[in-house]
Amino acid sequence: MGGTRTLAQTYRRFGEVDAAGKSPLYERVAVALSESGEGLRAIESAPARKRQPAVILAALHDLALAGRAPELAAAYAAGDVDAAADAATGTLLRMTDEVVAIAVRRETRTYETRRCAVLYPAVAEAARRVGARAVGLIDVGGSAGLNLHVDRVGITYGNGQSLGDPSSPVRLSAEVRGDRRLPTGAVPEVVVRVGVGPDPYDVTDAADARWLRACQWPDQPDQPDRQGQMAKLEAELALAAAAPPLLLRGDPVDALPDAFARVPADVLPVVITTWALSDYPLEHRLRFLHRLDEAATGRAVAWVSAEGVGVAPAVPTLGDRRASGHSIVGLAVCEASALRAEAVGRCWSRGRWLAWLGGGGSSG
């Protein structure tokens, strides 16, 4: 009984706090689920870590998008909050096994491509420092491959700077904190794009692409300074599908040698990690560094990271405290088994705000 009460409180809080003012549909649906004893018992049939509102609501949204929950789809399309609450509860009760199966198989995906506003200057700077005329991008952690198209988006920063492709159908914006300007170099030619992860998302696969759509809130209002979330995601998926990356499935550390082998010898491999390493214990993260060291015996290797404070091994923390609300942007270059790692920036909200430092401590 206590567990159900706690779950009810979790869903009510999600509706009244997390979704309030952002998604009227999810605000009403989450509160309705918190008040449904049968609905809460259905949710409890999922593993504990898969009972969170973001996961269950995305699983229900997936069924609606797939045409398997037409009443819910119609309510979402109409923006009818009461009909959506009834349809979501009814779908959950009728299709409990299907909802749980989706929740167990999938991981929720946050808004991905905004990360490129952080990655672009760091990848370009890595290439500049090595003198690389071409790079091979290796994205670790399963970001659906959208990070791998960092060179193909257009980015406008709050300080007036613009980077990337000004003609790109995917336009991003980010605010800049501090008075230091971003480096103006361009990302050189990208000759290979490789995604590495235990379950990488293939944007050309209908089910994978649908899940990325399902993770978006169905009625999240458009932001005044950028495209709506769903419209932007559609543009991103189309961009990625036009040049699908090579996807390597498996433990990222174990698969890295194969990924490096896909990058021609005269091309700089640039490994990207964005909020991925925190899923692994320190021992595993140190093995990741060892893989970089192994790959750098015959050529330079770069690593660009955006991770929580203290998560990326060898990247300085600048004296910042863990769980401080922001992340460290790291840039590491490994040549002849010598690693030089710097903290080149701080970022907030997965790329909404960026403070470029252009340096920091080093680790060798």
Side-chain angles (χ1 to χ4, degrees):
M1 188 70 180
T4 301
R5 184 179 297 112
T6 300
L7 192 61
Q9 293 169 345
T10 297
Y11 274 76
R12 179 170 290 279
R13 177 176 175 80
F14 182 89
E16 295 180 344
V17 177
D18 298 338
K22 301 175 184 176
S23 171
L25 285 172
Y26 273 4
E27 181 178 358
R28 181 70 183 91
V29 168
V31 171
L33 291 176
S34 78
E35 296 172 344
S36 170
E38 288 183 296
L40 293 172
R41 285 189 289 275
I43 294 170
E44 285 184 324
S45 65
R49 71 184 188 89
K50 294 292 188 174
R51 298 172 188 168
Q52 295 302 310
V55 181
I56 297 299
L57 292 175
L60 288 166
H61 195 191
D62 187 84
L63 290 172
L65 292 173
R68 300 172 65 190
E71 291 182 0
L72 182 59
Y76 280 171
D80 188 330
V81 296
D82 291 328
D86 291 341
T89 304
T91 300
L92 176 61
L93 296 181
R94 288 193 309 273
M95 306 180 71
T96 300
D97 291 344
E98 291 89 339
V99 172
V100 171
I102 295 170
V104 167
R105 177 171 179 254
R106 298 293 195 179
E107 298 289 340
T108 53
R109 293 298 179 201
T110 56
Y111 198 63
E112 300 283 357
T113 309
R114 189 191 299 132
R115 306 172 186 202
C116 290
V118 172
L119 294 175
Y120 191 101
V123 172
E125 179 66 8
R128 185 195 69 79
R129 293 185 182 188
V130 177
R133 297 183 178 181
V135 298
L137 299 179
I138 301 171
D139 187 30
V140 172
S143 73
L146 302 182
N147 285 347
L148 292 168
H149 297 275
V150 59
D151 59 312
R152 302 176 66 208
V153 304
I155 312 164
T156 301
Y157 296 91
N159 65 354
Q161 288 187 264
S162 295
L163 296 175
D165 180 0
S167 65
S168 175
V170 177
R171 304 293 306 170
L172 310 177
S173 63
E175 294 298 322
V176 175
R177 292 182 172 178
D179 57 4
R180 187 163 298 186
R181 293 178 64 80
L182 304 169
T184 57
V187 172
E189 179 187 7
V190 179
V191 299
V192 64
R193 308 171 198 268
V194 184
V196 180
D199 188 21
Y201 282 74
D202 179 358
V203 296
T204 65
D205 179 83
D208 281 0
R210 186 178 65 243
W211 175 250
L212 294 175
R213 297 182 179 102
C215 289
Q216 303 295 318
W217 294 7
D219 64 338
Q220 195 164 23
D222 292 359
Q223 298 297 321
D225 61 338
R226 54 189 171 89
Q227 297 166 264
Q229 295 282 52
M230 193 64 76
K232 184 179 285 294
L233 177 62
E234 293 300 330
E236 294 163 2
L237 293 177
L239 188 71
L246 171 67
L247 300 177
L248 301 179
R249 189 179 305 273
D251 181 281
V253 173
D254 294 335
L256 267 180
D258 189 10
F260 284 123
R262 309 302 178 103
V263 181
D266 59 344
V267 172
L268 173 68
V270 180
V271 178
I272 296 170
T273 66
T274 54
W275 299 281
L277 297 183
S278 60
D279 292 337
Y280 300 97
L282 178 60
E283 180 183 359
H284 213 66
R285 285 178 269 153
L286 293 176
R287 286 183 58 219
F288 168 83
L289 278 187
H290 182 64
R291 292 299 193 197
L292 299 183
D293 181 71
E294 289 178 332
T297 55
R299 61 175 174 183
V301 172
W303 169 33
V304 170
S305 61
E307 304 283 355
V309 177
V311 171
V315 174
T317 61
L318 305 174
D320 298 346
R321 294 179 297 175
R322 291 178 181 268
S324 56
H326 68 270
S327 299
I328 300 289
V329 183
L331 170 56
V333 174
C334 192
E335 293 182 278
S337 296
L339 178 70
R340 300 187 307 278
E342 297 182 32
V344 294
R346 296 183 177 95
C347 68
W348 292 258
S349 298
R350 303 290 174 110
R352 190 183 297 273
W353 295 283
L354 170 64
W356 186 260
L357 303 176
S362 62
S363 177

